[in-house]
Amino acid sequence: MSAQRYPLEEYFYPGNASCPGCGATMALRWVLKALGKKSIMVVPACCTSVFMGLYPKSAIGIPVLNIAFAAAAAAASGIVAALKARGKDATVLVWAGDGGTVDIGIQALSGAAERQTDFIYICYDNEAYMNTGIQRSGATPYGAITTTTPILGKREHKKNMPRIMIAHDIPYVATATSGYPHDLFRKVKKAKEKRGATRYIHILAPCPPGWRFDSKLTVKISRLAVRTGMWVLYEVEDGKFRLTGPSKALLDPEKRLPVEEYLKLQGRFSHLTREDIEEIQRWVDRQWELISKMVSKE
Amino acid sequence: MGEVMILTGNYSAAYAAKAARVQVVAAYPITPQTSIVEKIAELIERGEMKCEYVRVESEHSAMAACIGASAAGARAFTATSAHGLAYMHEMLHWAAGARLPIVMAVINRAMGPPWNIWPDHIDSLSQRDTGWIQFYVESNQEFFDTIIQAYRVAEDPEVRMPAMVCGDGFLLSHTYQPVHVLSEKEVEEYLPPYEPPFDISDVDNPVTHGNIVLAEAVGTQVGYMEYRYLMQVGMLKAKDKIKKAADDFKRMFGRYHGALVEEYRTNDAEVVMVSMGTLAAQAKYVVDMLREQGYQVGSVKLRVYRPFPYEDFIRIGRRVKVLVVVDRNASYGYCGISAADIAAALYGEKNPPLIMNFIVGIGGRDVTPDMQAELFMRAFKALEEEKEGFICEWVGLKGD
Ligand SMILES: Cc1ncc(C[n+]2csc(CCOP(=O)(O)OP(=O)(O)O)c2C)c(N)n1
Ligand code: SF4
Ligand SMILES: [Mg+2]
């Protein structure tokens, strides 16, 4: 798809209150471009509740319902029901952080997905609670320093939320990252078209202050996450698994960059020992073993 | 005694948990409480605090984990604010109903929507009827000392009710003050090790806790209502225990912040201002200012909200002409939450004082000493006009 085929309309505006180099806002801009005007967005407590702006200003050009931290998917279920009751039509989107998705919001999300609620749920994953100042979440990777794992770094690995969503047998699950916006755009479009049930997209969204890297490196780090295999780009459409983008070429471990290439640019990993790095490398390799099983299932 | 450190209210609460030798902390971040649990995480990882730390995935789970820990014989601690506290609501009833003496620091903040992270008392006051003892503190030192006192009261076998110690968001939580920090050793005698009311970890004496209890008392078995009445007994008993905990603390450590209420220059006062938290600290300053100008004014800090010190209000109410009750909260459709309770305490008095209830500072709106002085002046004017009864008014609204 060539660049001029992307819609020129913007629904996420400049002048918002996000940090420079914010991977979440880069992704949100493309998500809203792909969804277009006839969409309604639900946002639980997260960085987005702050960077959307101080009332009466808003950086978002579609209707937004802010909601309590645990409640996004349930509130969206209510919107979907009301649209049906009133004979109206719109795409309902939940835009939530990793904490609001993999931790406190997982119950509401699982319930909505099991009911095959007709909505798109997008988790932008900056791998910690950034709104409250970098506390660990279930999505924080092994070894990362956060303010609740301040010295040793997190001792557990990242929860694999997309796999949990695949287990819900919904028609579309995809992963994406801020540094590959075309891949993201295509996936959001596809999710938009698959009406009638729940669609889930999980976006790895680098965060300069939270991960401690220079704000000019967001795209580079996002791409290194993919190139090292720390983050895998794929989609599962009606049960069919498919690697996408650069991840397609990475089934062979030899093709993947060593994880250190990704880790060494980020202050949150600066204290890691050799063993820690090896542990992360082993984790990546294990993730890919699972991926290769999903690929061969096709 | 102790070491003087320059601490925010949040750090003060974290060091208090350490001094109280808490064994399990289960916590979740929320502004403006977060730096309490961050500090505890740091103290543990530095090896300065020995305690299990459960980094739970929600506040509902934080309180549930504290309940599990407390039932298994460990002294448990958590901290939260606003939405986190509201999300715990079910578990607050559970902790109190199970008579588990968990202590929690609450950093008071407004509830959304619209999102607002600034001080407001609606979060904890709307948990009033869950069966938790509630303390409200005015300084970081009082925060530290009260958390330790709270464990002593909550764990008393005649009380056994959980306790929250509430401090104002930002005004205390993020403001540095000198604090005398006591060590675990220094606190040991004042606060002996935790004895659980029942011990779910005791496999030799198995108990099943929380089974269905019927409404009616059958045979020798009491009914549900009797269990609830025992909570009432425990809460009422807590009044004396709070006084004793404050007196003993004074004797051992030389500091006193009041018992259920703290009175300031109320002896000959005509007009007394009642308030909670940092508003009470500032009220003292305003009282001094007006005293210098010859006004007979005083202040009452409502330090413990449950159990409610109605006896104190009857006693104070008999002496004064006007009670200015300042609420940093509102019960929509009525008045300030504390004013309603105070008015109820004075029902049936022969010559009750005029109660002027002012709703102020909602969502962190600034309450200045000038504003408090103005409220005192309003009371004197009402006296001149021979007003009686109960007045409630929102102060400082735009367009006033
Ligand atoms: C019940 C409840 N608990 C805690 C909070 C405080 N809180 C607001 S946003 C947030 C973290 C959000 O993390 P995440 O979902 O990962 O989004 P991010 O801020 O990283 O964008 C927390 C803990 C809250 N608003 N409500
Ligand atoms: S903290 Fe991170 S996610 Fe939040 S606005 Fe800043 S860069 Fe974006
Ligand atoms: Mg996050």
Side-chain angles (χ1 to χ4, degrees):
Chain A
M1 195 184 274
S2 67
Q4 62 265 37
R5 304 251 304 271
Y6 293 107
L8 292 174
E9 291 83 11
E10 300 286 356
Y11 298 98
F12 186 67
Y13 306 134
N16 65 75
S18 68
C19 316
C22 172
T25 47
M26 285 169 58
L28 179 55
R29 177 170 167 242
W30 283 87
V31 166
L32 294 182
K33 264 185 187 292
L35 291 184
K37 182 175 156 62
K38 244 179 96 183
S39 312
I40 301 164
M41 186 170 162
V42 179
V43 181
C46 58
C47 271
T48 309
S49 11
V50 180
F51 67 56
M52 68 172 63
L54 262 187
Y55 185 83
K57 295 198 173 127
S58 176
I60 299 172
I62 60 169
V64 176
L65 182 69
N66 280 292
I67 197 72
F69 200 14
S77 301
I79 294 175
V80 171
L83 290 175
K84 201 165 161 204
R86 299 183 62 201
K88 294 177 88 169
D89 186 48
T91 303
V92 176
L93 165 73
V94 167
W95 173 261
D98 49 299
T101 303
V102 318
D103 291 342
I104 200 169
I106 195 171
Q107 168 177 321
L109 169 56
S110 179
E114 183 271 332
R115 295 189 300 272
Q116 294 293 355
T117 305
D118 183 4
F119 78 137
I120 303 175
Y121 190 108
I122 298 185
C123 169
Y124 71 95
D125 182 1
N126 51 23
E127 301 195 317
Y129 300 147
M130 296 311 176
N131 167 302
T132 38
I134 329 177
Q135 295 80 30
R136 63 90 88 183
S137 80
T140 303
Y142 178 92
I145 292 285
T146 69
T147 56
T148 45
T149 54
I151 292 158
L152 307 174
K154 192 185 167 193
R155 299 330 285 166
E156 305 85 20
H157 284 289
K158 182 181 179 75
K159 187 189 282 191
N160 192 329
M161 191 66 195
R163 272 177 58 214
I164 294 172
M165 294 315 292
I166 293 169
H168 282 77
D169 266 335
I170 53 178
Y172 192 70
V173 176
T175 61
T177 184
S178 316
Y180 292 107
H182 299 185
D183 179 72
L184 169 63
F185 182 87
R186 197 185 53 75
K187 286 169 175 167
V188 178
K189 272 276 186 219
K190 200 173 256 185
K192 183 183 172 184
E193 279 146 27
K194 287 207 154 306
R195 289 298 301 267
T198 299
R199 293 88 78 198
Y200 179 81
I201 301 177
H202 197 111
I203 306 174
L204 183 73
C207 165
W211 297 9
R212 298 192 218 156
F213 63 81
D214 191 319
S215 56
K216 71 180 181 217
L217 294 178
T218 304
V219 170
K220 182 169 184 175
I221 284 180
S222 165
R223 292 184 175 185
L224 274 172
V226 174
R227 292 278 163 78
T228 54
M230 284 285 291
W231 189 243
V232 190
L233 296 178
Y234 64 81
E235 62 187 357
V236 184
E237 196 178 344
D238 300 317
K240 275 222 178 71
F241 181 93
R242 205 172 73 81
L243 288 166
T244 70
S247 295
K248 279 191 286 199
L250 299 180
L251 261 178
D252 175 1
E254 299 291 308
K255 300 274 165 58
R256 301 197 284 267
L257 294 174
V259 288
E260 205 169 350
E261 297 298 310
Y262 172 69
L263 304 175
K264 73 182 183 196
L265 293 176
Q266 304 173 49
R268 64 174 171 159
F269 295 120
S270 59
H271 65 295
L272 293 190
T273 61
R274 188 67 6 234
E275 292 83 77
D276 285 331
I277 294 171
E278 280 161 13
E279 171 58 30
I280 294 172
Q281 186 65 61
R282 278 195 298 276
W283 178 81
V284 167
D285 296 343
R286 280 205 305 277
Q287 297 301 304
W288 277 92
E289 276 164 32
L290 291 169
I291 295 284
S292 66
K293 280 185 199 140
M294 296 210 266
V295 174
S296 58
K297 258 198 336 219
E298 266 186 51
Chain B
M1 176 100 35
E3 178 193 356
V4 180
M5 297 171 78
I6 308 295
L7 298 177
T8 63
N10 281 351
Y11 288 172
S12 182
Y15 278 101
K18 176 174 182 275
R21 310 187 308 285
V22 303
Q23 293 159 288
V24 173
V25 172
Y28 196 70
I30 183 165
T31 309
Q33 166 280 130
T34 310
S35 53
I36 299 180
V37 298
E38 287 177 344
K39 189 70 183 173
I40 290 175
E42 183 194 320
L43 290 171
I44 292 170
E45 290 197 6
R46 280 193 199 292
E48 290 173 32
M49 182 169 172
K50 208 171 141 313
C51 146
E52 289 297 318
Y53 186 34
V54 193
R55 294 161 174 89
V56 286
E57 71 296 329
S58 79
E59 290 85 356
H60 191 275
S61 299
M63 186 46 65
C66 285
I67 288 169
S70 189
R75 185 173 281 157
F77 178 80
T78 187
T80 193
S81 292
H83 288 260
L85 184 62
Y87 201 47
M88 280 180 187
H89 181 73
E90 181 192 16
M91 293 291 102
L92 297 183
H93 277 285
W94 201 278
R99 311 297 297 272
L100 293 169
I102 298 159
V103 171
M104 165 163 61
V106 173
I107 300 299
N108 289 116
R109 152 185 162 179
M111 294 291 299
W115 286 121
N116 175 301
I117 54 171
W118 293 283
D120 194 301
H121 291 157
I122 194 68
D123 55 353
S124 53
L125 286 177
S126 59
Q127 305 303 333
R128 182 188 69 183
D129 301 333
T130 54
W132 282 61
I133 297 167
Q134 292 199 346
F135 292 90
Y136 289 80
V137 302
E138 62 165 290
S139 69
N140 295 351
Q141 184 70 62
E142 188 180 3
F143 212 171
F144 184 95
D145 296 346
T146 304
I147 286 172
I148 291 163
Q149 293 175 17
Y151 274 110
R152 171 129 141 193
V153 174
E155 290 175 5
D156 190 296
E158 290 181 83
V159 177
R160 284 193 173 141
M161 298 300 280
M164 51 181 93
V165 182
C166 309
D168 287 326
F170 295 101
L171 299 170
L172 289 189
S173 69
H174 288 63
T175 304
Y176 282 86
Q177 293 174 354
V179 178
H180 289 258
V181 173
L182 299 167
S183 68
E184 289 89 323
K185 191 120 208 79
E186 286 166 312
V187 170
E188 215 165 67
E189 190 192 331
Y190 181 82
L191 182 65
Y194 170 48
E195 297 273 355
F198 60 95
D199 187 353
I200 215 75
S201 73
D202 183 355
V203 292
D204 296 325
N205 299 292
V207 291
T208 308
H209 185 267
N211 324 41
I212 295 177
V213 168
L214 299 178
E216 302 303 332
V218 182
T220 55
Q221 177 58 48
V222 298
Y224 179 85
M225 201 162 158
E226 282 74 20
Y227 283 105
R228 293 301 90 133
Y229 180 68
L230 288 172
M231 289 169 69
Q232 169 73 351
V233 171
M235 268 300 207
L236 292 179
K237 199 83 203 170
K239 289 186 180 183
D240 282 338
K241 303 290 181 179
I242 289 166
K243 287 179 197 155
K244 185 157 180 348
D247 290 341
D248 288 351
F249 197 91
K250 185 178 179 190
R251 194 167 39 72
M252 292 178 69
F253 306 112
R255 286 189 299 275
Y256 185 76
H257 309 279
L260 287 102
V261 298
E262 184 199 41
E263 294 179 53
Y264 185 73
R265 303 184 81 166
T266 55
N267 269 341
D268 60 341
E270 290 186 299
V271 178
V272 158
M273 180 175 282
V274 184
S275 45
M276 298 161 83
T278 54
L279 285 174
Q282 192 172 280
K284 291 180 197 167
Y285 168 83
V286 174
V287 163
D288 287 346
M289 198 168 81
L290 293 180
R291 284 268 176 186
E292 262 173 42
Q293 297 168 26
Y295 293 101
Q296 283 172 280
V297 292
S299 160
V300 171
K301 174 174 72 179
L302 186 41
R303 182 170 185 258
V304 176
Y305 195 64
R306 280 294 180 275
F308 189 69
Y310 66 90
E311 303 91 336
D312 288 303
F313 285 104
I314 291 172
R315 184 174 48 74
I316 295 161
R318 284 178 184 164
R319 290 207 305 258
V320 304
K321 295 184 176 140
V322 188
L323 278 179
V324 175
V325 181
V326 176
D327 269 295
R328 190 169 218 141
N329 64 79
S331 175
Y332 309 108
Y334 197 15
C335 58
I337 295 176
S338 81
D341 275 337
I342 292 167
L346 298 176
Y347 177 78
E349 286 294 289
K350 281 219 179 62
N351 288 303
L354 167 66
I355 297 183
M356 298 179 84
N357 179 209
F358 296 111
I359 311 291
V360 304
I362 300 293
R365 183 166 296 189
D366 208 10
V367 181
T368 61
D370 283 350
M371 185 193 278
Q372 285 168 310
E374 170 65 23
L375 300 180
F376 272 118
M377 291 305 115
R378 295 266 308 271
F380 283 108
K381 182 149 176 281
L383 263 185
E384 261 173 48
E385 292 166 358
E386 296 180 14
K387 291 227 165 86
E388 288 178 2
F390 184 95
I391 298 161
C392 173
E393 199 181 291
W394 290 52
V395 180
L397 295 175
K398 187 168 181 183
D400 262 15

